[in-house]
Amino acid sequence: MKSGYQQGGVENTHTKILLTSLSAMAAELTTFPIDLIKTRLQLHGEPLSSTCPTGAFRIGLDIICEQGFLGLYKGLSPAILRHLFYTPIRIVGYEHLRSVVSADHGSPSIIGKAVVGGISGSMAQVIASPADLVKVRMQADSQMMSRGLQPRYSGPFDAFNKIVQAEGLPGLWRGVLPNIQRAFLVNMGELACYDHAKQFVITHRIAEDNVYAHTLASIMSGLAATSLSCPADVVKTRMMNQAAKEEGKVLYRSSYDCLVKTVQVEGIRALWKGFFPTWARLGPWQFVFWVSYEKFRKVAGLSSF
């Protein structure tokens, strides 16, 4: 099977978009409960959150006891909607940009891949940011319900409507800057590391271009992406969760202000809150996504990624 480096610009883009969407939805369904727990951990320590010390396992048990098993999927619909835009743009975009770079300079270096991954991820996140905002707000609502408070939104469309009414259309892009920063770091680590690690595994005959190579590459890329992105992810989550008060005031004026206040109040380690749930999600997410995506490509007659 030919490499995507040579065929990336001539293969059916529409097919790739469909396949990335299907693979992303499968991965999201598998790992969404971990993402919910990660979000709750990252919000822990804010003024409106519970002050009781807690961990990922305890949060998961509390959600199941209070809301049932389906409570672990609070905010799933906007998450799926987000991936219908985000994942195809970043994955297909990365492959096209990689083909352009390789056509001019040969196979790109790890640094070149990192830059290409960051750019494609940033563009995708700008488009998908409103759905990401709704997902974070709805996940935070489950935390309010656990304290006996009324949730802000009854569903994703209600959330979209209320956010626009209360904060205007630009409110859908609240926290877009830390969102872009996180997307750049995640995709710089995830796409570049997966691409490079897979190439390394195959070139050094550790494994063929099969599920074993894809698994090894996804584990390494998940760890790299988590280490790079966790601080930006904490800032992004807190920026997107805050809603403007009646007098128009907000807790954090900017992503930098959020970063400074978080470190001042909770210490530098707070920037890596939710690290293990994030890694626990990114690892399985990437495994499910990349293995299914590579299989779908093979069935569709496309080259390996």
Side-chain angles (χ1 to χ4, degrees):
M1 182 176 291
K2 294 182 180 180
S3 168
Y5 284 82
Q6 285 76 37
Q7 288 195 334
V10 299
E11 292 177 335
N12 194 320
T13 299
H14 293 91
T15 302
K16 292 180 183 177
I17 291 174
L18 174 62
L19 299 183
T20 52
S21 298
L22 291 174
S23 299
M25 285 190 287
E28 196 67 21
L29 283 168
T30 304
T31 62
F32 187 81
I34 305 175
D35 186 51
L36 175 63
I37 293 172
K38 177 209 70 174
T39 298
R40 292 278 292 271
L41 277 171
Q42 290 174 336
L43 293 175
H44 181 70
E46 286 197 305
L48 295 178
S49 68
S50 172
T51 56
C52 298
T54 187
F57 184 72
R58 176 65 182 273
I59 287 177
L61 278 180
D62 287 346
I63 292 173
I64 294 174
C65 292
E66 293 164 7
Q67 303 173 41
F69 181 76
L70 292 180
L72 293 172
Y73 286 89
K74 182 75 172 179
L76 176 63
S77 50
I80 294 293
L81 180 63
R82 170 184 178 262
H83 275 289
L84 291 178
F85 295 96
Y86 176 65
T87 301
I89 294 172
R90 72 187 183 97
I91 298 295
V92 179
Y94 173 85
E95 194 168 4
H96 278 290
L97 289 174
R98 184 185 67 181
S99 297
V100 172
V101 173
S102 61
D104 295 334
H105 307 288
S107 179
S109 64
I110 184 65
I111 296 176
K113 292 175 181 176
V115 173
V116 169
I119 292 173
S120 61
S122 299
M123 293 189 305
Q125 194 60 62
V126 170
I127 297 172
S129 195
D132 203 16
L133 175 73
V134 171
K135 182 195 77 169
V136 169
R137 295 273 182 98
M138 289 186 67
Q139 288 178 333
D141 265 8
S142 65
Q143 187 176 25
M144 297 175 66
M145 292 171 63
S146 68
R147 301 199 307 274
L149 301 176
Q150 190 70 19
R152 294 172 289 184
Y153 316 111
S154 61
F157 294 106
D158 180 56
F160 275 114
N161 185 46
K162 286 182 176 177
I163 291 171
V164 172
Q165 287 182 346
E167 305 171 46
L169 192 61
L172 290 173
W173 276 268
R174 181 178 296 278
V176 69
L177 182 57
N179 223 0
I180 292 173
Q181 293 168 346
R182 176 190 178 274
F184 186 93
L185 293 170
V186 165
N187 287 279
M188 181 176 70
E190 177 188 339
L191 296 180
C193 188
Y194 176 83
D195 191 5
H196 210 73
K198 176 187 164 186
Q199 190 178 19
F200 178 88
V201 168
I202 296 172
T203 302
H204 289 76
R205 300 182 182 278
I206 299 173
E208 298 295 327
D209 190 359
N210 54 29
V211 66
Y212 301 109
H214 305 156
T215 300
L216 289 172
S218 68
I219 291 172
M220 287 183 275
S221 66
L223 185 58
T226 305
S227 300
L228 287 170
S229 69
C230 207
D233 196 26
V234 171
V235 172
K236 180 216 74 168
T237 298
R238 296 188 173 195
M239 286 288 293
M240 296 182 80
N241 183 55
Q242 67 173 351
K245 300 178 181 178
E246 292 182 2
E247 59 271 23
K249 294 182 180 179
V250 292
L251 180 60
Y252 309 117
R253 297 188 304 272
S254 64
S255 57
Y256 178 74
D257 183 50
C258 179
L259 178 71
V260 171
K261 286 181 177 177
T262 299
V263 173
Q264 286 178 342
V265 175
E266 303 170 55
I268 190 70
R269 292 176 62 184
L271 295 178
W272 277 271
K273 276 190 173 183
F275 177 88
F276 288 108
T278 301
W279 185 39
R281 177 179 186 267
L282 276 175
W285 196 99
Q286 290 193 55
F287 169 74
V288 175
F289 173 79
W290 287 113
V291 170
S292 60
Y293 183 49
E294 296 274 21
K295 289 292 184 183
F296 285 152
R297 287 176 68 110
K298 184 176 182 180
V299 171
L302 302 180
S303 66
S304 177
F305 178 79

